[in-house]
Amino acid sequence: MVAVNETSRTGRYDVRGLAEPDAEAPKTARIDGDSAVVDAADLSTRQINLELRRLVYGEGISEVTVTNPGAKHSIAVGLLTRCRITVDGSLGYFACTLGDGPEIHVTGRVGWSLAENMMSGVVVVDKNAGSLTGAAMRGGDLVVRGHVGARTGIDQKGGTILVGGNTGSMTGFMMQRGRQIICGNAGPGLGDSMYDGEIYVAGTVASLGVDCVEEEMTPRDDELLDRKFRIYRMDRPERFRKFVCGKQLYNYDTLEPSERKLVL
Amino acid sequence: MADETAPSENTVLGRSQIFTPEVVNDIHMKAELGRYRMRGGGIFKKIPHWDELVFLPGTLTRFVIEGYREKCETKTVLGGRFAKKPLELDIPVYITGMSFGALSLEAKMALAKGASMAGTATCSGEGGMIPPERDLSTKWYYQVIQSRYGFNPHHLMLADAVEFFIGQGCKVGMGGHLMGQKVTEQVAEMRSLPAGIDQRSPARHPDWLGPDDLSLKIQEVREATDYQVPIQLKLGAARVYDDVRMAAKCGPDVIYLDGAEGGTGAGPHIGTEETGIPLMAAIPEARRALEDVGLADEIDLVVAGGIRNGADIAKCIALGAKAVAIGSAALMALGSNKDVAGADYEGTFGVPASDFYHWHTGKDPAGITTQDPELRKRLNVDEAAVRVYNFLHTLTLEVQMLARACGKTDVHSLEPEDLNALTTEAAAMARVPLAGTKYIPGVTEEKTLTEIRDLLAKHIANDTGGNRDV
């Protein structure tokens, strides 16, 4: 955490020690041409983000590597420009969120709510991610080569989530648009209450959620899967099943009396 | 032998106070529909309310401030805790979040324009930012709501303050509702939804569950907005003391409490009637919580729910609110629930204009809670904006009038000592004395018990074996 300076009032520091209103960019990055390396070992969340912003917006540097990220939370959030960021290590909660444009590669693991509300760009995580991965995501590609936790792509509104391993329960819960490609197994309640979008699963599905149904794969689906696996140089499992919204819950009053128990 | 069931007034034993005509009709309707009933507006049943409090203005114990001649400050600053740019309002009242979708484009624009004229803020509400509203608002809250419909980090950067919607007083614990007839192509596209569906928004946020991860979510949004703007947490008033303690520890700049009196564009009737506690009971609990965690001077309290006039606002401020937000009253200022040319409330909805609660139907004759292009034409943005401004200005004059009468040169100097209660219920909830007494239910008893306990302790300490009394 940032040291309390003399001008600060004690009230400027919150109970959990997360607020850093007075931090400044440390300007410690090693810059080499249009790339830079930030050693985050001794930096706080705010300092890392301020340094990233200084480099990307201020110095016009397009490639930044962050070393020793220490699984800190809220790193590389709200970047609204094209840039390439490599995080050499693991990140905590809310990693790479609220972005529009950046291509981010995390070589380790990440916590909950990875790439939440991403608008566009690419986030690739080499190992596992926690729950709520790609929550409310609106665009771009989110690739997790390992496993992910529960409620992957909850409220997803666009873009593609590609998972190399398994996903937990309630994957695609209330999903609105976009696609999810799960190479491993999906936990119980897949696609529960989804409005639209497609979920492709190569492994087993523990159970389907309310109003989620299986649909025939089309050549267009296969073309999409081939393309995504080619881009991220991943092995494509041969057979996928496709799950979509059953659209029974769109308008409650159109349900037959016997169908109304669906919502209990 | 008398016939006790003969068709005569003299044979009728009475009418059920439980199965009233409304209840019987409701049961018949549910038996047809097979679902709970939806409606707009706020609570119908009678609850302890602001009418049960009165002010104790200055007489001889304190002198009063001259109306019109002596200054009574109304400026209200929110979120100075961590934000580099706290929200500065000219008046202690602003327009709460109501979605584009629930309201027409014209209604959103008129609210924005009227609020700007009054020097105060508006809020995006659920459906995302609409550029005309942002353009017309000089101070604008952007909502981080459970559904994240239309949420865009570029729009987040345009905000003067960010509100995390966690719950609303009208239907605490529930997500938003927008019935299919109002989910037009445009509204649906902004929310990334299929058009015409009954939209039931999530009740829980997609990316955090409890206070520990909410702290991190706040950190995330602060990182994204560079600590420029205040972060406000909006809570429906339920377990207020515990909720506010937890909210305060999550590190916000402002906490917004919404009382059970609050309205909605559409919600389940049972949810509206049966959830949450009155604002009058919530504010003292929130103050107690903030004081107990030592943040009473750091975190600002905004309140809302069923606010009708400047007296309600002055009472909220006296109990400890920094600012008050209005929703239903702002719609009425626009012209909702008003007989306008071409409207037939009785014929269409079976109620007079003033009882119109059918905001969820999208058939609002005044063109406010609708997406119908023909009905929308009935709301003239510029004229409606002036009405909103006039109303906000009047509210402020009323608050000032009461504050001056109580001897205050700043409306924020109103305090609980300026109030008395007319009923024991109101005295207990608001924790102000029952008029003509010093009695505050609960508080008085607690004080007496403490005195007895202290006396007993002293008695035991002094007990030398019966030789002398205390």
Side-chain angles (χ1 to χ4, degrees), chain A residues 1 9-16 18-23 45-47 49-50 53 73-74 77-78 80 93-94 97-100 112-113 116-117 119 132 135-136 138 151 154-155 157 173-174 176-177 195-196 249-253 260, chain B residues 32-35 80-82 84 146-154 156-157 180 188-189 191-194 196-202 204 206-209 211-213 215-217 219-224 226-227 249-251 295 298:
Chain A
M1 291 300 115
R9 290 178 293 128
T10 50
R12 302 227 356 120
Y13 293 86
D14 71 312
V15 179
R16 294 187 203 276
L18 294 170
E20 304 178 63
D22 303 320
T45 287
R46 180 101 183 97
Q47 288 175 313
N49 284 322
L50 283 168
R53 280 159 194 274
H73 306 301
S74 307
V77 306
L80 304 177
Y93 281 31
F94 297 101
T97 63
L98 297 166
D100 192 8
W112 282 25
S113 306
E116 173 269 317
N117 218 109
M119 302 296 288
L132 314 175
R138 295 186 66 185
R151 300 184 296 287
I154 178 175
D155 297 352
K157 295 168 176 62
F173 182 43
M174 296 182 93
Q176 295 172 229
R177 284 182 192 174
Y195 289 97
D196 209 345
L249 296 180
Y250 273 16
N251 297 94
Y252 184 87
D253 285 350
R260 290 177 190 151
Chain B
E32 294 285 326
L33 293 171
R35 62 163 169 80
R81 187 184 185 202
F82 292 125
K84 291 200 175 92
Q146 291 99 325
S147 66
R148 307 289 163 81
Y149 290 143
F151 193 85
N152 185 327
H154 294 277
L156 177 65
M157 302 308 285
E189 191 50 40
R191 299 174 186 223
S192 309
L193 285 169
I197 64 157
D198 293 335
Q199 173 228 298
R200 285 178 165 79
S201 313
R204 215 166 57 205
D207 50 354
W208 60 271
L209 288 178
D212 288 329
D213 32 341
S215 307
L216 299 174
K217 176 72 190 171
Q219 180 192 36
E220 177 215 25
V221 172
R222 282 214 173 101
E223 290 296 328
D226 194 33
Y227 285 74
K249 287 198 171 184
C250 291
L295 292 168
E298 300 292 334

Side-chain angles (χ1 to χ4, degrees), chain A residues 1 8 12 23 26 47 49 78 88 102 109 121 137 151 167 176 186-187 197 205 225 227 250:
Chain A
M1 291 300 115
S8 299
R12 302 227 356 120
Q47 288 175 313
N49 284 322
D88 193 6
R109 294 172 291 272
M137 187 174 121
R151 300 184 296 287
T167 62
Q176 295 172 229
V205 173
L225 293 177
R227 185 154 40 87
Y250 273 16

Side-chain angles (χ1 to χ4, degrees), chain B residues 273-289:
Chain B
E273 292 297 293
E274 310 299 342
T275 61
I277 66 167
L279 193 52
M280 186 165 65
I283 300 175
E285 281 289 273
R287 292 311 313 177
R288 188 165 69 89

Side-chain angles (χ1 to χ4, degrees), chain B residues 103-414:
Chain B
L103 305 193
S104 66
L105 174 69
E106 292 75 12
K108 288 291 278 177
M109 289 170 67
L111 288 175
K113 195 170 178 189
S116 296
M117 288 164 76
T120 194
T122 50
C123 175
S124 66
E126 179 163 34
M129 184 190 86
I130 41 170
E133 181 198 29
R134 172 66 277 212
D135 288 347
L136 291 167
S137 301
T138 50
K139 299 168 203 299
W140 181 70
Y141 273 94
Y142 191 42
Q143 245 180 19
V144 178
I145 196 165
Q146 291 99 325
S147 66
R148 307 289 163 81
Y149 290 143
F151 193 85
N152 185 327
H154 294 277
H155 299 167
L156 177 65
M157 302 308 285
L158 298 174
D160 298 301
V162 179
E163 176 173 274
F164 283 56
F165 181 105
I166 296 166
Q168 73 186 99
C170 174
K171 42 180 179 175
V172 192
M174 293 168 219
H177 298 76
L178 196 66
M179 296 297 98
Q181 54 269 39
K182 289 173 87 170
V183 185
T184 61
E185 289 283 346
Q186 187 192 8
V187 170
E189 191 50 40
M190 276 185 66
R191 299 174 186 223
S192 309
L193 285 169
I197 64 157
D198 293 335
Q199 173 228 298
R200 285 178 165 79
S201 313
R204 215 166 57 205
H205 280 258
D207 50 354
W208 60 271
L209 288 178
D212 288 329
D213 32 341
L214 171 58
S215 307
L216 299 174
K217 176 72 190 171
I218 291 172
Q219 180 192 36
E220 177 215 25
V221 172
R222 282 214 173 101
E223 290 296 328
T225 53
D226 194 33
Y227 285 74
Q228 296 293 319
V229 298
I231 306 286
Q232 173 169 306
L233 302 183
K234 174 175 178 174
L235 313 174
R239 292 180 184 83
V240 175
Y241 178 76
D242 292 331
D243 285 335
V244 169
R245 270 182 80 115
M246 289 172 116
K249 287 198 171 184
C250 291
D253 301 294
V254 187
I255 292 174
Y256 175 132
L257 260 185
D258 198 15
E261 304 92 330
T264 181
H269 170 68
I270 290 288
T272 304
E273 292 297 293
E274 310 299 342
T275 61
I277 66 167
L279 193 52
M280 186 165 65
I283 300 175
E285 281 289 273
R287 292 311 313 177
R288 188 165 69 89
L290 288 174
E291 274 155 26
D292 285 357
V293 294
L295 292 168
D297 294 333
E298 300 292 334
I299 295 176
D300 295 316
L301 186 65
V302 172
V303 302
I307 300 298
R308 309 156 298 176
N309 56 40
D312 290 353
I313 295 173
K315 288 167 188 172
C316 289
I317 294 173
L319 290 183
K322 186 85 172 276
V324 173
I326 57 167
S328 301
L331 297 189
M332 289 163 195
L334 279 178
S336 178
N337 295 64
K338 193 175 180 181
D339 255 320
V340 293
D344 177 14
Y345 288 89
E346 292 276 7
T348 317
F349 307 103
V351 294
S354 55
D355 289 350
F356 174 66
Y357 62 80
H358 306 68
W359 300 345
H360 65 300
T361 61
K363 296 175 185 161
D364 182 357
I368 293 163
T369 56
T370 182
Q371 298 300 319
D372 184 316
E374 288 306 311
L375 295 174
R376 282 167 50 195
K377 285 180 191 161
R378 293 181 184 169
L379 188 74
N380 178 300
V381 173
D382 291 337
E383 290 169 14
V386 171
R387 289 196 292 271
V388 170
Y389 162 69
N390 281 335
F391 182 61
L392 287 168
H393 181 68
T394 306
L395 290 176
T396 310
L397 288 176
E398 289 175 342
V399 177
Q400 271 187 323
M401 176 179 66
L402 291 166
R404 284 189 175 112
C406 291
K408 318 292 186 195
T409 54
D410 185 323
V411 296
H412 299 291
S413 300
L414 284 164

